């Protein structure tokens, strides 16, 4: 139909911790949602999956971005910008990008992740 019903799932080391609202019937969703969660000291990566909600069957994965602990260490003030989506299934072509703001707050003993899922296109 030329549109999707997108939402995002944020995972830390493959554990889903955040789900945004679904934005109905669009290819350019705006979420503008900000979350803050505790980070385990030894976390490896943060993955953001862009999904297409489907009432009649399993939700489709549109694409994902992965931010590693090393990538965050390269940006001590946090990362903010557009990131291209990559495929989850190698047989699927992925087009699109997501606008995120991600930063790690606090010290080694009590670090928190602040994640803003802004928009996609």
């Amino acid at each position: 139909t030329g549109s999707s019903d997108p939402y995002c799932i944020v995972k830390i080391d493959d554990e889903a911790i955040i789900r945004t609202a679904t934005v109905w019937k669009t290819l350019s969703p705006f979420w503008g949602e900000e979350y803050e969660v505790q980070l385990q000291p030894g976390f490896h990566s943060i993955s953001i999956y862009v999904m297409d909600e489907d009432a009649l069957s399993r939700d489709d994965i549109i694409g994902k971005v992965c931010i590693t602990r090393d990538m965050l260490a390269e940006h001590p003030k946090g990362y903010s910008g557009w990131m291209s989506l990559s495929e989850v299934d190698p047989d699927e072509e992925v087009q699109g990008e997501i606008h995120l703001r991600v930063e790690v707050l606090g010290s080694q003993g009590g670090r928190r992740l602040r994640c803003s899922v802004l928009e996609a296109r």
Side-chain angles (χ1 to χ4, degrees), residues 21-36:
T22 300
V23 181
W24 303 101
K25 296 185 178 0
T26 184
L27 293 177
S28 297
F30 176 81
W31 291 284
E33 298 182 21
E34 182 174 285
Y35 301 93
E36 199 169 300

Side-chain angles (χ1 to χ4, degrees), residues 8 10 17-21 31-37 101 103 113-117:
C8 294
V10 180
I17 55 162
I18 296 167
R19 184 197 191 280
T20 68
W31 291 284
E33 298 182 21
E34 182 174 285
Y35 301 93
E36 199 169 300
V37 296
R101 192 168 46 239
E103 59 186 319
L113 170 71
R114 181 181 293 154
C115 179
S116 300
V117 181

Side-chain angles (χ1 to χ4, degrees), residues 23-72:
V23 181
W24 303 101
K25 296 185 178 0
T26 184
L27 293 177
S28 297
F30 176 81
W31 291 284
E33 298 182 21
E34 182 174 285
Y35 301 93
E36 199 169 300
V37 296
Q38 286 297 121
L39 267 178
Q40 296 298 322
F43 88 97
H44 294 95
S45 66
I46 300 157
S47 300
I48 296 98
Y49 290 80
V50 180
M51 308 290 292
D52 180 13
E53 190 165 320
D54 194 336
L56 301 177
S57 65
R58 193 166 162 219
D59 293 354
D60 297 319
I61 301 172
I62 296 172
K64 75 169 188 171
V65 296
C66 186
I67 301 168
T68 65
R69 184 165 69 183
D70 293 341
M71 288 168 68
L72 286 172

